[in-house]
Amino acid sequence: MFRTPIKEQLVVPAHIDYLADIRDFVAKMGQKYGFSKQVVNAFKLSIDEATTNIIKHAYRDCEGSITIRAIVKRNSLTFVLIDQGKYFDPRRVKPPDLKRYVSIGKKGGLGIFIMRRLLDDIDYRKTEEGNELRLTKRREPVRARRFQLPSLSLSLKARYSAIACAAVTTIVAAGYFYFYSQEDDNALREVLGRGVPIAQTLTSSIAADIKGSNIDFAAEVSAGEKIQSTVSRFPDLVVDCFVVDTSGTVRAASVSSPLLYTRFNYPGKVRRVDEHTTIFTWERQEVIELAYPLYSEDKLAVGHTHLWLRKDVADAIAAGRRKENLRLALVVLAIGVAGTFLLVYVVLNPFRKLAQWVRTLGHEEVEDELDIDSSTELGEIAQAFSDITTKLRESQKNLAEQERLRKEMQVAQEIQRTLLPTELPKVEGFAIATFYEAAKEVGG
């Protein structure tokens, strides 16, 4: 809605030798911000003429500098020539009579006339910086291409609602995907929270029956019973459980385990989570293994206890939480979008009322339709429009009064002219005529 114009400037000595630098600056600004060659050439010719006049006339008896400032807006380009020389307002120069110029063969004097023809607006003012000549030309409209899609023109309310909704959607989506990425680890920690106590308790119980540095037959039988009891108690979590001695041979396992008295080797692809936890695929099933060292009563290492947990349990927990997070995100998104529309409506509704009020400011009775609170920014804008309208009404009344006085003066002039004789005596050798000129409008 509001955009700060781009401003760039160049300061050069007021001398003819620096005209080329000014031309280069004009060409650079035009090409840099995408203005056509026609616009750039119009500025080159006009600024060259204006700068030459400043050097010859404004700095005729002194030296100084010229500042050329480019002001780039979306649809226009303005160059401001600033000098501290003699004051000269080109707007007061009357349009030349070209036919008379041709008849008398006059040369020159058409610079300002050409500038007016080439540019869209010429303004001259005296400021703190000096004499400012503002030359403006609007960007040429782009021809519409065939089969071009119509531009989508949105109201301020719709535009800001769309931006706010996009921001809310982005924030909610970012939050959802962040928690989405964390659910696998959270579910794994939950499963381990259930499995670690089982593995530690089982390891301690088996270690209590082992004496010496080897696992004897009695210890194997006792360990097998405890393993079978553990697998039976947690069928929804535990896949298998077994004891491996220091040589890598499985010495105790559940009844249905095919690993008993075989040498256990990990499959090729193994992912280590920590020193006790490993994830891998065994016979087309992903398992989470908890491995704890096994010590005898004499504190001698005799092997390891391996507890396999179902990885699909963690996957199911993660999937369920993701569904819950999705539902929560959709609810938050719906509330956020509704709140955004409500907030935009509350914020922009005063602007809509202000716009309607400004459109009807020409009617006298509108002053009573809006109570302005100038303590707010919006109130300051409304008060400014109200003051402008009041001054405009006063100026219109003054213009009407001046027009009435002018007509009355015309009537008075006509009355005074009627006082002059219409017929004059004819005297041989003399020419008699009447002449009437008022001191101001009438009288005299």
Side-chain angles (χ1 to χ4, degrees), residues 49 52-53 56-57 88 90 93-98 100-101 104-116:
E49 175 66 24
T52 303
N53 288 336
K56 289 183 177 179
H57 302 292
F88 173 73
V93 178
K94 296 181 179 180
D97 187 350
L98 298 180
R100 183 171 177 273
Y101 272 40
I104 64 176
K106 182 177 179 179
K107 299 179 180 179
L110 297 177
I112 296 177
F113 171 74
I114 294 175
M115 290 166 58
R116 288 172 177 168

Side-chain angles (χ1 to χ4, degrees), residues 75-302:
N75 295 319
S76 67
L77 177 59
T78 299
F79 283 100
V80 185
L81 293 173
I82 305 173
D83 68 88
Q84 292 78 36
K86 294 181 180 179
Y87 180 83
F88 173 73
D89 191 348
R91 297 175 302 175
R92 297 181 179 178
V93 178
K94 296 181 179 180
D97 187 350
L98 298 180
K99 293 183 179 180
R100 183 171 177 273
Y101 272 40
V102 174
S103 63
I104 64 176
K106 182 177 179 179
K107 299 179 180 179
L110 297 177
I112 296 177
F113 171 74
I114 294 175
M115 290 166 58
R116 288 172 177 168
R117 289 301 183 105
L118 291 175
L119 304 177
D120 295 322
D121 186 32
I122 298 177
D123 188 23
Y124 190 79
R125 61 187 69 173
K126 185 77 173 178
T127 66
E128 295 179 355
E129 293 186 88
N131 307 315
E132 290 191 7
L133 177 62
R134 301 174 68 89
L135 309 174
T136 302
K137 191 165 182 65
R138 286 179 283 276
R139 192 188 295 271
E140 295 179 352
V142 181
R143 293 182 179 179
R145 298 178 180 178
R146 292 184 178 180
F147 309 108
Q148 186 178 9
L149 294 175
S151 59
L152 185 61
S153 179
L154 299 176
S155 65
L156 191 64
K157 187 182 297 184
R159 189 181 304 121
Y160 279 110
S161 297
I163 294 173
C165 290
V168 171
T169 303
T170 302
I171 294 172
V172 172
Y176 170 74
F177 284 111
Y178 171 77
F179 288 108
Y180 183 95
S181 64
Q182 299 294 317
E183 291 304 334
D184 285 333
D185 294 336
N186 295 334
L188 179 61
R189 281 193 291 268
E190 183 174 335
V191 171
L192 291 177
R194 295 168 58 187
V196 167
I198 298 174
Q200 292 176 342
T201 301
L202 180 62
T203 302
S204 300
S205 177
I206 293 175
D209 297 332
I210 301 176
K211 299 178 181 179
S213 59
N214 295 315
I215 302 175
D216 56 16
F217 181 75
E220 288 182 8
V221 173
S222 177
E225 293 176 352
K226 294 176 180 179
I227 290 172
Q228 183 63 38
S229 175
T230 300
V231 173
S232 301
R233 286 169 57 198
F234 304 100
D236 58 336
L237 180 63
V238 178
V239 176
D240 201 351
C241 183
F242 52 90
V243 175
V244 180
D245 63 14
T246 53
S247 65
T249 302
V250 177
R251 300 293 298 274
S254 63
V255 176
S256 60
S257 177
L259 298 174
L260 187 60
Y261 301 119
T262 63
R263 294 185 62 83
F264 173 72
N265 293 309
Y266 284 105
K269 190 175 181 181
V270 175
R271 179 164 69 93
R272 291 282 181 183
V273 178
D274 54 43
E275 62 175 331
H276 299 293
T277 308
T278 307
I279 298 176
F280 55 88
T281 301
W282 184 269
E283 294 183 354
R284 299 181 182 181
Q285 181 181 6
E286 265 195 306
V287 296
I288 305 170
E289 181 191 74
L290 293 174
Y292 286 90
L294 190 61
Y295 297 96
S296 65
E297 288 183 345
D298 302 328
K299 305 299 179 182
L300 299 176
V302 294

Side-chain angles (χ1 to χ4, degrees), residues 185-433:
D185 294 336
N186 295 334
L188 179 61
R189 281 193 291 268
E190 183 174 335
V191 171
L192 291 177
R194 295 168 58 187
V196 167
I198 298 174
Q200 292 176 342
T201 301
L202 180 62
T203 302
S204 300
S205 177
I206 293 175
D209 297 332
I210 301 176
K211 299 178 181 179
S213 59
N214 295 315
I215 302 175
D216 56 16
F217 181 75
E220 288 182 8
V221 173
S222 177
E225 293 176 352
K226 294 176 180 179
I227 290 172
Q228 183 63 38
S229 175
T230 300
V231 173
S232 301
R233 286 169 57 198
F234 304 100
D236 58 336
L237 180 63
V238 178
V239 176
D240 201 351
C241 183
F242 52 90
V243 175
V244 180
D245 63 14
T246 53
S247 65
T249 302
V250 177
R251 300 293 298 274
S254 63
V255 176
S256 60
S257 177
L259 298 174
L260 187 60
Y261 301 119
T262 63
R263 294 185 62 83
F264 173 72
N265 293 309
Y266 284 105
K269 190 175 181 181
V270 175
R271 179 164 69 93
R272 291 282 181 183
V273 178
D274 54 43
E275 62 175 331
H276 299 293
T277 308
T278 307
I279 298 176
F280 55 88
T281 301
W282 184 269
E283 294 183 354
R284 299 181 182 181
Q285 181 181 6
E286 265 195 306
V287 296
I288 305 170
E289 181 191 74
L290 293 174
Y292 286 90
L294 190 61
Y295 297 96
S296 65
E297 288 183 345
D298 302 328
K299 305 299 179 182
L300 299 176
V302 294
H304 286 81
T305 301
H306 295 258
L307 178 67
W308 287 359
L309 307 176
R310 296 182 182 276
K311 178 65 167 53
D312 55 3
V313 173
D315 294 339
I317 294 174
R321 288 181 177 173
R322 283 171 178 152
K323 290 181 180 179
E324 293 178 1
N325 292 340
L326 179 60
R327 286 193 291 267
L328 180 61
L330 293 177
V331 171
V332 172
L333 181 61
I335 295 174
V337 170
T340 297
F341 276 103
L342 180 61
L343 181 61
V344 170
Y345 177 81
V346 170
V347 171
L348 294 184
N349 193 51
F351 287 94
R352 182 182 60 82
K353 291 183 178 179
L354 177 62
Q356 293 176 351
W357 179 70
V358 169
R359 292 191 193 100
T360 55
L361 272 178
H363 303 287
E364 295 289 340
E365 66 276 6
V366 176
E367 294 182 354
D368 300 330
E369 295 298 328
L370 195 65
D371 184 14
I372 299 174
D373 179 12
S374 58
S375 62
T376 63
E377 291 81 357
L378 189 61
E380 290 179 1
I381 297 174
Q383 187 63 49
F385 274 110
S386 180
D387 294 342
I388 292 172
T389 305
T390 302
K391 293 178 181 179
L392 180 60
R393 289 198 186 106
E394 292 177 355
S395 64
Q396 289 176 342
K397 292 178 181 178
N398 292 334
L399 288 174
E401 182 66 19
Q402 291 176 6
E403 181 66 19
R404 185 185 64 80
L405 291 175
R406 187 182 65 81
K407 291 182 178 179
E408 290 181 357
M409 290 297 179
Q410 288 179 350
V411 173
Q413 289 175 3
E414 293 297 329
I415 292 174
Q416 287 186 342
R417 286 194 181 93
T418 59
L419 299 177
L420 297 177
T422 56
E423 295 183 1
L424 299 175
K426 296 180 181 180
V427 181
E428 187 176 354
F430 294 92
I432 301 174

